Amino acid sequence: MAAVTLKNVVKRFGVFEIVHGANIDVNDGEFVVFVGPSGCGKSTLLRMIAGLEDISGGEIAIGGKLVNDVEPADRGIAMVFQSYALYPHMSVEQNLSFGLRMNGNPKADTERRVKRAAEILRIAELMKRRPRQLSGGQRQRVAIGRAIVREPQVFLFDEPLSNLDAELRVQMRVEISRLHKELGVTMIYVTHDQTEAMTLADRIVVLNAGNIEQIGAPLDLYDDPANRFVAGFVGSPKMNFLAAQVVGNDGNATVVELANHGGARLRKPLSGAPPAVGAEVVLGVRPEHFFEAGEGDCDIAVKADVAEHLGSVSYIYANAGPEELIIEREASRQRATGDHMVVSIKAGQSLLFDKSGARIR
Amino acid sequence: MRYQNATAYRFLAPYLLIFSIFWLWPIISSFLISFQATRTVPWRFAPTFNWGRLIGDPAFFNALKNTLLILVIQVPVMITLAIVMAVLLNSPLLKARGLFRFAFFAPVVVGEVAYSAVFRLMFNLDYGIINKLLNSVGLPRIDWFSNVTPAMAVIMIAVSWRWAGYNAIILLAGLQSIPQDVYEAATLDRVSKLKQFFYITLPLLKPIIVFCAVLSIIGTMQLFTEPFLITERGGPGGGTETLGLLLYRQGFKSLNFGYASAIAYTMAGLAIAISLVQLWLTRDPK
Ligand SMILES: Nc1ncnc2c1ncn2[C@@H]1O[C@H](COP(=O)(O)OP(=O)(O)OP(=O)(O)O)[C@@H](O)[C@H]1O
Ligand SMILES: [Mg+2]
């Protein structure tokens, strides 16, 4: 088992800098998820840890040992690829044992490891099949099995579930979680799906355009995002962002006026320095934090546009001038298109951001 | 439905007509001719006349032996060479990839006569560059075209030069279809580049290699240009005469169409038989 430490890690492809100095400490046995939009550098970061990609700057240590110049096979890691990367011409059993056989591992030990992996992943009855004779979920299991037989100190997953259908994805997610508990080893998992990140991670690293926006436990990111990007990325459906302007400061609170809601004002207590009067700000409100009229600190009127009824909850897509808001309502089956409704915002359950996206606390 | 089919066939009719006249009919006709004595006028039906002669004809067995010898040596050597070339072309270390790809493929588009003339010059006893090179490293020069073994070697070298690049391009397409992450997985499994080649690349390339081998077998069975032009009609003394050349000699010099047809059918039959054996030997174990 091993901790993984990234210190000022930089990656350049030619003149393009893709990762701009990443600092991440993954503790021994921890499940850390790298999450971020497509192209933000998650895979690149993971591949640098694996040694499949050179490090342009900074240091990566696994188990306290600097691995910048260590061969991928000697880093004590195993990787599960998005495309599974199974050997197409080998049976499942050969796929699992190939690496060990090529390295002259004792036959009995190889068999033991393969058998154990097959048991953990419940693929024992598939051992004689070729990858193309397997379903997507089965292939994924074999790919994970191939990682398990290596008995690595660190597992690396690069979007392992993105080729599966929704139901299977949920099922495999649970299995990976179970695997982590069973093996107790460090796992680093890349995904662009925030639900996967929220459900699997001990800690999440949110990446954006090669920068780390925030590192923290799933609910900390949800409750206390460092900036507008993290606030918008974590949580589903997305947080609503309402344009506003600071109209006054009193004591340790600021008063903002919502730009598109008929001059509605919200008084928001702050712990830090308040923004200047006249400054343009953004108020973030999660869909589940719109309350019935009068219950909150500031009421706004909106016009329901589309309603999605999911049974237990409904999402109402509402318009107010140029802004589209998503409002969560509990089992409100009647609400129909064109209805006017009034919802209420609470100061304590909204977040304030300045124009650049930084949080105003 | 019926009506639509009929319309479709009417559209196909011009093609089918031309195909039948210039392709299907010659195939059938030559089969029939192979059972006729064609040195007499009129031709008469004599089922064993040509086929009987074939079985006892030393010239036929000489040509058969030469053809098979070239096949057995040249095809494996060329395919191996083509694989090496394809791997080089696919290497990320290679600079000026486009230039190499063009250079490897270029021999195919060079005119047969021109290429043969150049090979004759290169292997010329007194002025050829090959003998000059041999001399310069202290080896005796070789009289390439007066002895059978060197003459055969020249043919094999020439054919390989002409077609190795062509096969390499086909193999390159196969190489590029192997996903990169399979190699990355192998790298993580601590499998060396060399072992990756033998345990991953070659097995995954096998269908393409077999395809190239079958194409080459069919091509070499019909070998004609090189022994005709480079070693001057199968010289020395029929030492490089191939089935293709024998067919030409019988059919178009002696105008013995019946016998030529029998030879043609033997060549086609052999090509099919060898290819089938090849496919069977390399089939995917189920
Ligand atoms: N070999 C390469 N050469 C040049 N640029 C590259 C290379 N590999 C990746 N990039 C660039 O690096 C950036 C990050 O790529 P990366 O694959 O890490 O993204 P990602 O976060 O994994 O995205 P996704 O969710 O789509 O997989 C992208 O802008 C990509 O274009
Ligand atoms: Mg990726």
Side-chain angles (χ1 to χ4, degrees):
Chain A
M1 294 198 207
V4 178
T5 313
L6 280 72
K7 214 184 282 170
N8 290 319
V9 170
V10 174
K11 179 65 189 181
R12 277 182 292 267
F13 287 112
V15 295
F16 298 108
E17 192 170 292
I18 301 298
V19 175
H20 320 288
N23 289 292
I24 304 172
D25 277 304
V26 179
N27 299 324
D28 188 7
E30 197 175 21
F31 198 126
V32 167
V33 175
F34 293 175
V35 69
S38 188
C40 69
K42 311 179 290 288
S43 297
T44 306
L45 214 47
L46 196 74
R47 291 166 57 80
M48 281 196 281
I49 298 173
L52 295 172
E53 211 69 76
D54 299 334
I55 301 163
S56 313
E59 292 179 349
I60 295 181
I62 298 176
K65 189 175 141 237
L66 189 68
V67 294
N68 282 36
D69 298 315
V70 175
E71 287 295 313
D74 298 324
R75 294 189 180 195
I77 53 102
M79 182 155 167
V80 178
F81 295 81
Q82 176 173 355
S83 56
Y84 318 132
L86 298 174
Y87 308 121
H89 56 298
M90 297 184 200
S91 69
V92 168
E93 186 169 19
Q94 290 167 330
N95 260 286
L96 295 184
S97 62
F98 182 62
L100 295 172
R101 278 185 287 128
M102 285 295 110
N103 289 293
N105 196 58
K107 203 158 175 251
D109 183 57
T110 304
E111 273 169 17
R112 177 188 65 75
R113 290 198 201 185
V114 169
K115 191 152 169 277
R116 174 165 163 268
E119 271 163 17
I120 292 176
L121 295 165
R122 298 191 287 267
I123 50 173
E125 70 283 9
L126 306 175
M127 297 310 265
K128 294 285 171 246
R129 295 209 207 159
R130 298 278 184 90
R132 73 176 120 79
Q133 299 166 315
L134 301 176
S135 72
Q138 290 169 332
R139 279 179 216 184
Q140 189 56 68
R141 271 172 231 258
V142 177
I144 295 173
R146 191 172 59 182
I148 291 178
V149 296
R150 300 200 57 210
E151 301 189 344
Q153 298 179 304
V154 180
F155 277 86
L156 307 176
F157 295 90
D158 191 356
E159 308 213 20
L161 307 186
S162 56
N163 289 337
L164 304 179
D165 64 43
E167 197 179 332
L168 205 53
R169 200 145 58 209
V170 174
Q171 191 186 329
M172 285 304 292
R173 205 164 73 199
V174 175
E175 292 214 20
I176 289 176
S177 206
R178 180 175 61 89
L179 190 70
H180 179 241
K181 288 208 182 69
E182 232 169 274
L183 301 177
V185 299
T186 313
M187 291 188 175
I188 302 178
Y189 186 105
V190 161
T191 179
H192 61 255
D193 176 0
Q194 64 91 31
T195 315
E196 256 172 51
M198 295 294 282
T199 50
L200 284 170
D202 293 328
R203 274 195 308 156
I204 296 177
V205 177
V206 183
L207 292 160
N208 181 29
N211 289 308
I212 294 176
E213 297 283 352
Q214 193 173 358
I215 302 180
L219 290 180
D220 289 347
L221 296 190
Y222 181 84
D223 293 335
D224 193 17
N227 53 48
R228 183 176 165 174
F229 179 83
V230 176
F233 199 83
V234 174
S236 173
K238 271 173 137 43
M239 181 180 269
N240 298 289
F241 294 108
L242 291 77
Q245 192 172 25
V246 177
V247 290
N249 291 314
D250 71 86
N252 53 359
T254 187
V255 179
V256 297
E257 184 177 294
L258 301 178
N260 299 305
H261 300 277
R265 289 185 176 195
L266 177 73
R267 183 175 176 280
K268 186 155 173 56
L270 296 176
S271 56
V277 173
E280 285 183 19
V281 292
V282 174
L283 190 71
V285 184
R286 292 203 182 274
E288 60 271 36
H289 292 156
F290 284 111
F291 299 89
E292 296 297 335
E295 284 182 10
D297 306 317
C298 165
D299 286 3
I300 57 173
V302 295
K303 187 162 141 274
D305 194 12
V306 177
E308 289 179 351
H309 301 298
L310 303 184
S312 57
V313 294
S314 300
Y315 295 112
I316 292 147
Y317 294 78
N319 285 321
E323 278 170 1
E324 178 167 272
L325 304 180
I326 307 174
I327 298 165
E328 185 183 312
R329 276 287 170 272
E330 264 176 48
S332 61
R333 297 172 189 230
Q334 273 78 41
R335 198 118 21 200
T337 306
D339 281 0
H340 288 275
M341 55 193 285
V342 176
V343 292
S344 188
I345 300 168
K346 286 185 182 170
Q349 274 162 319
S350 60
L351 306 171
L352 205 57
F353 303 96
D354 70 16
K355 246 185 107 181
S356 73
R359 182 86 182 273
I360 303 171
R361 291 170 196 270
Chain B
M1 196 60 208
R2 279 274 162 81
Y3 174 74
Q4 281 181 352
N5 280 348
T7 309
Y9 279 115
R10 243 170 283 159
F11 273 108
L12 283 171
Y15 167 74
L16 290 177
L17 191 72
I18 291 170
F19 172 80
S20 308
I21 294 174
F22 292 104
W23 218 85
L24 201 58
W25 175 241
I27 290 176
I28 297 167
S29 165
S30 61
F31 186 67
L32 297 177
I33 290 174
S34 78
F35 293 103
Q36 296 180 36
T38 54
R39 303 298 291 274
T40 55
V41 182
W43 296 354
R44 67 187 161 79
F45 181 70
T48 57
F49 186 78
N50 297 313
W51 291 100
R53 178 177 167 192
L54 193 78
I55 296 168
D57 185 357
F60 167 74
F61 282 100
N62 173 53
L64 181 65
K65 186 202 75 191
N66 290 340
T67 305
L68 291 181
L69 192 67
I70 294 172
L71 189 93
V72 170
I73 298 173
Q74 181 263 328
V75 172
V77 168
M78 180 184 69
I79 299 284
T80 309
L81 207 65
I83 293 171
V84 172
M85 287 159 80
V87 169
L88 286 181
L89 276 180
N90 200 33
S91 160
L93 302 174
L94 183 76
K95 301 270 187 291
R97 188 182 318 272
L99 190 70
F100 278 97
R101 205 162 39 203
F102 169 72
F104 285 177
F105 195 75
V108 177
V109 291
V110 172
E112 294 185 321
V113 176
Y115 129 83
S116 301
V118 170
F119 263 81
R120 276 193 68 76
L121 279 177
M122 277 168 46
F123 286 90
N124 182 290
L125 175 62
D126 300 314
Y127 315 111
I129 185 161
I130 303 293
N131 277 347
K132 286 235 166 72
L133 284 175
L134 287 178
N135 267 334
S136 70
V137 295
L139 292 170
R141 57 183 200 167
I142 295 172
D143 191 353
W144 292 98
F145 299 114
S146 307
N147 301 299
V148 174
T149 309
M152 284 288 258
V154 172
I155 287 181
M156 292 182 205
I157 292 168
V159 175
S160 298
W161 177 81
R162 188 137 192 257
W163 294 104
Y166 176 82
N167 286 293
I169 299 293
I170 298 177
L171 288 164
L172 178 64
L175 277 182
Q176 286 171 341
S177 74
I178 303 176
Q180 199 52 40
D181 51 17
V182 171
Y183 292 108
E184 289 180 346
T187 304
L188 292 179
D189 271 344
R190 203 194 306 275
V191 179
S192 67
K193 285 268 179 277
L194 196 67
K195 280 187 174 170
Q196 287 181 20
F197 176 76
F198 283 108
Y199 287 93
I200 295 173
T201 308
L202 272 190
L204 290 179
L205 212 51
K206 199 176 79 179
I208 317 268
I209 296 175
V210 172
F211 172 75
C212 285
V214 168
L215 275 191
S216 306
I217 288 167
I218 293 171
T220 301
M221 280 310 295
Q222 304 174 349
L223 193 61
F224 174 78
T225 309
E226 286 80 2
F228 187 77
L229 291 175
I230 299 181
T231 57
E232 284 195 294
R233 292 156 211 238
T240 59
E241 183 168 72
T242 56
L243 287 174
L245 215 53
L246 179 67
L247 182 154
Y248 168 80
R249 202 151 58 83
Q250 287 297 332
F252 303 103
K253 305 276 293 207
S254 314
L255 300 181
N256 189 354
F257 297 120
Y259 193 41
S261 297
I263 297 169
Y265 263 88
T266 311
M267 286 164 61
L270 276 173
I272 292 170
I274 297 173
S275 299
L276 285 178
V277 168
Q278 166 89 353
L279 286 173
W280 184 76
L281 283 177
T282 55
R283 75 199 179 283
D284 234 355
K286 187 70 194 101

